[in-house]
Amino acid sequence: MSIQKQAYNALEAVVGSKYISDDPVICEGYRSGPGGYESGLGYERVMTKIPGAVIMPKTTEEVQQIVKICNRYKVPYVPYATGFYGPRSHCHVENELLIDLKRMNQFEIDEKHFYIVVGPGVIYSPIQQEAFNKGAYVVIGGGGAQASAIANLIGDGWSPLSHRIGLPHRRILGTELVLPDGELVKMGSLAHGDDPFWGEGPGPDLRGLLRGFTGLRGCLGIVTKMAIKTLPFQPEPLIPTGISPNTALALPQKRVKWVNYQMPSKAAQVKAMFEIGKAEIAGAVTKVPLFWRAIAKAECKEEFWEIWGKENEDTIKNFFIVRVLLIGYTSEEQMEYDENVLNDIMKELGGIPRPTKPSDESWLKNADSAGMWLMCGSYVSVDYIIESLSQATVHGEYYAELKRKYTPPLMPDYGDPGWFQSFELGHQGYSEFLVYWDQDEDTTGVDHFYLETSKMNIRERFYTSLLGPHQPLFLTGPKYGPNYHEWLLKVKNEFDPLWVCHPPVPLAHDDFVNRAEWMKPLKDWESPEKLPMPEWK
Amino acid sequence: MRIKNELAKIVGKDYVSESMEDRVKYSRDESLLPPGIPDAVVWPGSAEEVSKVVVWCNEKDIPVVPVSSKVHFYGCTIPKQGGIVVDLGRMNKILEIDTENRLARFEAGVTWEQLVEELEKKGLRPILPLLPPGNRSVLTDTLEREVSTNIVYDYGEPMQSAEVVWPTGEIFRCGSASVNGFPDSKSRGANPSGPGLDFYRFLQQAQGTMGIVTWISIKAENIPKIDKIFFAPVEDLAYAQDFLYRILPRRIGQECLLLNNVDFAAILSAKGFGDFDVLRAKLPPWTLILTISGLIRRPEEKIAYEEKFLNQVLTHEFQKMALTDNLPGFPGLGRLLMPMLRRPWPSNLPYWKSTVKGGFQNLFFITKPNQTPMFMEIMEMVASRYGYPIADIGSYIQPIEHNRACQVEFTFFYDPDDDVEKAFIGDLYIDAAKALMNEGAFFTRPYGKLASIIYDRAANYTMTLKRLKKVFDPKNIMNPGNLCF
């Protein structure tokens, strides 16, 4: 269970013996599972392996050398930052090298021009604080402040703050990518110089290789440096309060304020989001699942179930909240203007203000998703998709309906249609649907549900985040684009002809369905008898 | 005859031409680049016809040159290696305007004039570059990422989804329009990203080398209820930039730009506001133009808080910045310019840059605002080396997204009938570009002769682009001779 000796020696010469190990104890620490995300599912059991060795480079040059050695000795490898993304970002084949990028943890901020240059080992927590200190802010995605900023931005990169901060793709500036064969490509203004302030060009924009919508899970190279756009915030400090785990940021109420409104109907709830977007006000506009409120209130699993057990289909059906974050970017007067406009909209639509804490528990600094494990032990976001508000506000209902068939093993949530919100002042809408289960139970139903969502999205003509390496490529490929899978595989073959970079992604879910007996009854799409990639033992 | 007959089978005999007159028409543009004659011109009426033309060309190894606009400034539609010009002018339908989601979807041949007019009927507007020619294709300018005069971050990167005919002929939809059955779908095409890769990025700034985009959708914005325009004469560019660093991150303003006296005089004289030479002499070295707008709700309150903030900054921090609602000595300027900034340049008038001497050559790049005074000095040095009067060069600085960056554009005006002057301007243009590049100017759109200079300095980017191009266009039939292809 380790990589070949010659390769190991060559790798050791690059980083020194301190930063490479094939000690089974060390490698065991990189097993997929304990994180909770997608944990215990069939995909994790069938597709993930413990690494054959772990290496920790410090510089881009070291990453390049490592990747070139892997190509020379045909050693499969996977880039790894914080490992939040569960099984999909862990080793998938035997004797694989895990390249842990934590040591590349330097960052630098350009206050005047609103960007932060980060390495892949930099997590959100310090850069958000530094941004706050300089009058700016970033979006901390649902992965939380402990997630790698680069990994998050090439696979995710949103939160309710995206109402104003917008599509994550827009915030990726000058970037360094080590291609799967070890060649380095510098994008944007880094192509010509040392300052990464600008993202695209020269000419066609190679940032198209970085992510697709929800990322490539590292199968097209390793990002070693990225400049991330920040946005101007407001000048007042946000004061940390409370004692862990009940911490929060006290908000200066004349400059930052959450306001909750109870709406009389789903139609009014949706209309409010459209109108707030059209009025071009607020820093966030969102509707979250009701059980998140129970998560926030509960301090243990038992307490969660006590709170949640009081709900029923009717309370869920009649829960129409709109949660709005007001930010005085310009001045207190701008904040007042936003609040006046918001009140006008709510008055027209019958929205009733609800008591709201003068603090932020999550989205500004923490985006703490740790509570998601609380109820059952495992969870996954089966979809998290930016489209229009028209799609976003109905998408979850289809998920909820499909979910009934698979509950249990999925956690009963009384048909809650999930989370939706505005993006880019209502030019886009976002929907996310999360499911929970106990990994100690039979999870076959969860595996089936996950795959069936893909078929539901195809049938109902929804756009979905579960494309590329997140579902069987030969299932989704013909139905989106159409045939985006053919182009993706051609690009993969061009830049990674040996498929050493995180194999068998992007065909890992196809491979999983082929290998998991309990998935075979669901396979009703065409795919090659032998998947078009090298076999890894 | 053979080419014409074959293509006529695809588009119909009325929509293909091998006549010398048509071929010559497409052989040159407003740039300084030499002409190149195509073998034929086709005017397809649908993506399916485009696809069949491309497939036919691919089989025969014939270059394909896509054309969407009626006017071109950078030479990228000149058929440098012959081939078939595919003019998308017939594909000029606005396919939908979705007022709820504020998006517009339209074909490649739709012009700025057409789109502005149709959106206006629904209370919406596109975000425009500075006075684009009314008959330019909106799709082309959007794909080429023409920088807008509006600095509001939320309006930025307006492109959403797109349909492309790949160089091998497959019709493909990018982003959320990729769903099966679009537009008869729950997805409205509002997300540009995906599926699988961010294909739309490969098409941006590609000059038609990566495929033929047949339609796109973009974000549309509400038309404000109230607008106010301000001007400030600027002698000290660094001081003006400090002012913009102070106000733009605080989300003040909509349109915001700096024009030197040459460019501003050209605009005003072309609009009949006075004689070019008189205006140029009378205008300050630079003019800062700033608009603020009251939106669809409580417009007066929005104007009021922005004005209050501006007044505080002007009173306490930037007393030398004389920002008022009219430029001293130019009464009525605000009333003239405010509507102009929201519209393209009328196609029935000579384009404003053409009115100075007939021809013009733009040189533009991206930089940080605090570096603009240095780049002005570099341009002065290069121009003086050539004995070219700096007083004749148009200069335009466009702040981008809260002033985190800006585009600087220099315009050299010339007589298109004077070959000596054209050659001179061509040399000056290249030398100036090199000098600017040496000091960090970033040229994102490598046109014509600049391409080889830019790509020579970006070896790994160039190699990767070529590898990507090989995937999509293995025979290099799409607009060869441009970029690094």
Side-chain angles (χ1 to χ4, degrees):
Chain A
M1 296 290 269
S2 63
I3 63 174
Q4 49 181 296
K5 193 66 186 166
Q6 270 182 311
Y8 189 93
N9 290 344
L11 292 165
E12 189 176 36
V14 174
V15 295
S17 58
K18 189 175 174 187
Y19 294 111
I20 185 168
S21 175
D22 56 3
D23 183 333
V25 175
I26 298 291
C27 294
E28 176 64 29
Y30 290 89
R31 178 192 286 278
S32 174
Y37 191 83
E38 216 176 352
S39 111
L41 288 189
Y43 184 87
E44 182 178 70
R45 298 196 306 272
V46 173
M47 297 302 296
T48 64
K49 308 287 178 200
I50 298 167
V54 177
I55 193 165
M56 299 180 81
K58 180 68 178 169
T59 65
T60 299
E61 292 71 24
E62 287 182 5
V63 173
Q64 279 189 271
Q65 288 180 54
I66 290 165
V67 169
K68 286 183 177 177
I69 290 166
C70 287
N71 272 270
R72 187 183 312 137
Y73 291 102
K74 295 189 177 51
V75 174
Y77 65 88
V78 61
Y80 183 99
T82 58
F84 171 80
Y85 221 112
R88 288 176 242 179
S89 44
H90 287 75
C91 290
H92 278 38
V93 299
E94 297 287 358
N95 305 320
E96 185 167 352
L97 178 70
L98 185 142
I99 304 175
D100 186 340
L101 302 159
K102 279 191 193 70
R103 288 177 69 220
M104 301 176 74
N105 59 356
Q106 302 295 306
F107 71 91
E108 194 177 346
I109 190 162
D110 185 328
E111 175 182 357
K112 206 175 179 79
H113 302 104
F114 291 95
Y115 64 90
I116 303 178
V117 189
V118 301
V122 175
I123 63 171
Y124 272 121
S125 185
I127 63 173
Q128 181 72 312
Q129 188 56 53
E130 279 304 310
F132 281 163
N133 294 346
K134 311 282 187 194
Y137 71 134
V138 295
V139 157
I140 296 177
Q146 76 280 12
S148 156
I150 285 180
N152 182 250
L153 261 177
I154 58 176
D156 185 281
W158 47 76
S159 87
L161 302 183
S162 303
H163 171 67
R164 213 59 192 247
I165 284 192
L167 288 169
H169 320 75
R170 290 180 60 185
R171 286 181 285 119
I172 297 174
L173 299 174
T175 295
E176 261 182 16
L177 173 70
V178 175
L179 291 167
D181 57 6
E183 293 299 319
L184 180 67
V185 56
K186 296 181 179 182
M187 302 174 185
S189 52
L190 274 181
H192 273 186
D194 296 329
D195 189 340
F197 78 104
W198 194 254
E200 89 262 6
D205 191 345
L206 287 175
R207 288 180 300 174
L209 290 171
L210 292 175
R211 56 174 294 163
F213 179 61
T214 43
L216 293 153
R217 304 273 71 84
C219 80
L220 270 184
I222 303 175
V223 177
T224 50
K225 179 156 98 174
M226 179 185 284
I228 298 171
K229 207 184 282 183
T230 66
L231 260 87
F233 194 41
Q234 56 76 49
E236 300 293 328
L238 313 182
I239 309 294
T241 61
I243 297 168
S244 183
N246 297 315
T247 56
L249 291 172
L251 302 177
Q253 291 290 284
K254 289 185 177 177
R255 294 302 281 259
V256 191
K257 181 197 266 188
W258 279 106
V259 198
N260 292 340
Y261 283 91
Q262 177 70 45
M263 308 306 294
S265 64
K266 170 83 181 279
Q269 183 185 40
V270 172
K271 180 79 173 162
M273 289 195 183
F274 273 116
E275 290 301 314
I276 292 167
K278 286 177 188 172
E280 303 184 24
I281 59 162
V285 183
T286 188
K287 173 264 169 190
V288 296
L290 183 57
F291 57 79
W292 285 16
R293 202 158 65 179
I295 293 171
K297 284 181 183 170
E299 291 189 2
C300 64
K301 185 176 180 175
E302 288 69 27
E303 193 178 356
F304 168 82
W305 285 107
E306 194 181 315
I307 298 168
W308 186 236
K310 291 173 186 160
E311 306 292 347
N312 56 51
E313 293 261 347
D314 282 340
T315 58
I316 298 295
K317 209 182 287 176
N318 294 307
F319 178 72
F320 305 114
I321 202 88
V322 172
R323 191 161 155 74
V324 181
L325 178 67
L326 297 172
I327 302 174
Y329 295 104
T330 306
S331 59
E332 290 181 10
E333 287 83 1
Q334 178 249 298
M335 178 92 166
E336 285 168 18
Y337 162 80
D338 278 24
E339 193 157 11
N340 288 340
V341 170
L342 179 63
N343 287 336
D344 290 347
I345 292 168
M346 290 303 173
K347 199 171 168 188
E348 288 165 20
L349 297 171
I352 300 165
R354 299 282 299 270
T356 315
K357 288 182 191 171
S359 58
D360 179 80
E361 282 76 38
S362 56
W363 291 117
L364 286 169
K365 183 72 190 291
N366 303 325
D368 185 3
S369 52
M372 297 296 166
W373 282 261
L374 193 65
M375 305 84 77
C376 304
S378 297
Y379 93 100
V380 68
S381 294
V382 280
D383 213 341
Y384 33 104
I385 181 65
I386 303 166
E387 216 295 301
S388 56
L389 271 169
S390 298
Q391 170 176 311
T393 51
V394 298
H395 200 190
E397 289 163 9
Y398 286 79
Y399 269 98
E401 189 55 37
L402 181 65
K403 186 182 171 186
R404 289 179 195 280
K405 188 177 161 192
Y406 297 96
T407 305
L410 295 174
M411 181 190 103
D413 64 4
Y414 313 116
D416 192 308
W419 165 13
F420 60 80
Q421 65 160 80
S422 158
F423 253 69
E424 288 200 0
L425 294 176
H427 283 108
Q428 289 108 16
Y430 175 76
S431 51
E432 180 163 339
F433 197 78
L434 305 97
V435 293
Y436 308 83
W437 68 94
D438 185 338
Q439 58 189 288
D440 296 330
E441 294 181 0
D442 180 0
T443 59
T444 301
V446 186
D447 292 339
H448 285 188
F449 171 73
Y450 188 84
L451 187 62
E452 287 295 337
T453 65
S454 206
K455 295 180 185 177
M456 181 272 286
N457 282 317
I458 290 168
R459 191 171 57 244
E460 300 296 338
R461 301 181 177 186
F462 283 118
Y463 198 42
T464 168
S465 61
L466 302 179
L467 300 173
H470 302 276
Q471 287 278 14
L473 202 52
F474 282 94
L475 165 61
T476 63
K479 300 299 182 185
Y480 291 87
N483 298 322
Y484 80 89
H485 63 304
E486 293 178 1
W487 297 108
L488 177 56
L489 289 172
K490 283 180 189 176
V491 169
K492 170 75 177 171
N493 285 323
E494 168 59 35
F495 291 103
D496 187 15
L498 300 175
W499 279 63
V500 286
C501 188
H502 199 14
V505 179
L507 287 170
H509 274 83
D510 301 72
D511 202 21
F512 166 59
V513 172
N514 286 350
R515 289 164 60 185
E517 283 301 324
W518 66 95
M519 298 304 289
K520 287 182 179 167
L522 274 64
K523 188 172 181 300
D524 55 3
W525 63 92
E526 289 185 11
S527 66
E529 197 166 319
K530 181 183 176 313
L531 291 172
M533 62 178 180
E535 275 184 32
W536 294 90
K537 300 290 180 193
Chain B
M1 261 325 264
R2 194 182 61 81
I3 289 180
K4 185 177 176 184
N5 291 344
E6 291 293 320
L7 293 174
K9 288 179 197 167
I10 299 170
V11 296
K13 65 181 172 48
D14 294 340
Y15 298 112
V16 58
S17 172
E18 286 180 320
S19 78
M20 186 51 79
E21 188 187 350
D22 282 329
R23 290 163 60 205
V24 166
K25 200 171 105 187
Y26 288 91
S27 69
R28 54 168 57 96
D29 67 1
E30 306 292 323
S31 73
L32 290 166
L33 293 178
I37 295 274
D39 299 304
V41 182
V42 293
W43 293 270
S46 67
E48 289 70 28
E49 287 184 4
V50 173
S51 166
K52 287 176 185 168
V53 170
V54 170
V55 167
W56 186 83
C57 290
N58 212 317
E59 284 170 2
K60 305 281 185 286
D61 284 344
I62 296 174
V64 178
V65 181
V67 172
S68 298
S69 286
K70 292 177 180 62
V71 57
H72 307 275
F73 302 126
Y74 305 117
C76 42
T77 57
I78 293 174
K80 296 172 186 68
Q81 297 176 17
I84 309 297
V85 165
V86 178
D87 186 337
L88 303 169
R90 279 177 67 212
M91 297 173 64
N92 61 356
K93 287 189 283 299
I94 295 175
L95 300 168
E96 68 177 306
I97 295 174
D98 179 343
T99 53
E100 204 63 357
N101 291 299
R102 287 158 36 236
L103 71 83
R105 190 164 62 87
F106 49 86
E107 292 182 312
V110 168
T111 64
W112 283 110
E113 279 175 339
Q114 202 182 338
L115 186 66
V116 168
E117 188 183 330
E118 288 305 311
L119 283 175
E120 199 171 65
K121 291 175 188 168
K122 311 267 186 184
L124 296 170
R125 59 174 171 147
I127 297 303
L128 279 87
L130 177 63
L131 305 171
N135 55 1
R136 280 278 288 178
S137 156
V138 184
L139 178 143
T140 300
D141 280 350
T142 307
L143 281 178
E144 286 298 288
R145 298 177 64 117
E146 284 283 352
V147 174
S148 81
T149 53
N150 196 305
I151 49 81
V152 173
Y153 175 82
D154 316 275
Y155 303 163
E157 290 214 33
M159 185 169 145
Q160 298 189 307
S161 50
E163 180 181 77
V164 59
V165 176
W166 292 123
T168 42
E170 289 94 334
I171 300 173
F172 185 86
R173 294 183 304 277
C174 304
S176 61
S178 63
V179 300
N180 197 25
F182 182 86
D184 180 18
S185 56
K186 297 188 178 68
S187 167
R188 306 302 311 127
N191 182 355
S193 182
L197 291 165
D198 280 343
F199 292 96
Y200 79 107
R201 291 290 196 201
F202 304 149
L203 304 168
Q204 291 179 315
Q205 302 181 162
Q207 302 176 23
T209 60
M210 296 296 289
I212 301 181
V213 180
T214 52
W215 59 252
I216 60 169
S217 60
I218 63 165
K219 296 187 282 191
E221 308 301 339
N222 285 306
I223 295 174
K225 299 269 196 218
I226 308 173
D227 296 300
K228 287 189 90 166
I229 188 164
F230 300 96
F231 302 91
V234 172
E235 302 267 346
D236 181 347
L237 186 56
Y239 186 76
Q241 291 290 15
D242 283 344
F243 176 64
L244 296 181
Y245 277 121
R246 178 71 179 95
I247 64 165
L248 298 186
R250 299 268 63 87
R251 295 183 186 260
I252 295 293
Q254 289 260 327
E255 288 86 358
C256 178
L257 60 155
L258 283 152
L259 289 170
N260 83 340
N261 58 330
V262 181
D263 268 355
F264 205 8
I267 291 168
L268 296 178
S269 65
K271 203 67 178 166
F273 198 73
D275 174 74
F276 171 74
D277 288 323
V278 173
L279 286 164
R280 179 172 60 169
K282 200 175 158 192
L283 282 162
W286 289 92
T287 302
L288 170 64
I289 301 164
L290 174 72
T291 69
I292 60 173
S293 299
L295 304 178
I296 59 170
R297 288 177 183 267
R298 296 182 180 254
E300 295 86 359
E301 283 181 39
K302 180 159 176 60
I303 292 278
Y305 82 69
E306 290 201 33
E307 272 195 295
K308 182 178 176 187
F309 182 88
L310 270 175
N311 287 334
Q312 283 172 346
V313 171
L314 289 166
T315 306
H316 301 297
E317 300 171 52
F318 287 87
Q319 292 92 343
K320 285 192 283 178
M321 181 61 66
L323 190 75
T324 58
D325 57 7
N326 221 329
L327 194 62
F330 296 88
L333 188 59
R335 280 194 303 279
L336 174 79
L337 201 64
M338 188 65 239
M340 282 174 68
L341 290 173
R342 299 276 166 83
R343 296 190 167 278
W345 190 263
S347 57
N348 59 356
L349 292 180
Y351 185 48
W352 64 274
K353 288 185 182 178
S354 304
T355 58
V356 178
K357 291 182 85 173
F360 63 90
Q361 176 69 50
N362 293 329
L363 181 65
F364 54 88
F365 56 90
I366 302 290
T367 185
K368 290 176 171 173
N370 56 359
Q371 293 178 359
T372 52
M374 175 192 72
F375 286 120
M376 294 301 143
E377 284 177 18
I378 290 170
M379 179 51 76
E380 275 188 40
M381 279 193 309
V382 177
S384 68
R385 211 161 59 222
Y386 273 74
Y388 188 87
I390 189 73
D392 287 352
I393 300 175
S395 303
Y396 158 43
I397 297 173
Q398 181 55 62
I400 297 170
E401 290 182 348
H402 307 304
N403 216 35
R404 72 172 187 85
C406 65
Q407 177 172 282
V408 177
E409 179 185 271
F410 296 112
T411 303
F412 308 106
F413 302 99
Y414 62 86
D415 176 357
D417 297 325
D418 183 339
D419 288 340
V420 175
E421 189 181 15
K422 280 165 70 175
F424 173 80
I425 292 291
D427 291 343
L428 168 60
Y429 165 76
I430 293 296
D431 274 2
K434 287 179 182 170
L436 295 162
M437 230 176 280
N438 289 343
E439 296 304 320
F442 184 51
F443 288 74
T444 55
R445 292 155 60 187
Y447 292 120
K449 290 181 179 173
L450 280 188
S452 59
I453 300 167
I454 291 167
Y455 284 119
D456 279 353
R457 298 178 185 217
N460 58 53
Y461 197 88
T462 309
M463 286 308 299
T464 312
L465 263 188
K466 288 183 175 182
R467 291 174 74 179
L468 185 76
K469 168 82 164 170
K470 197 172 72 180
V471 169
F472 289 92
D473 186 11
K475 292 182 170 182
N476 194 23
I477 63 157
M478 285 307 305
N479 212 6
N482 289 289
L483 297 168
C484 56
F485 309 131

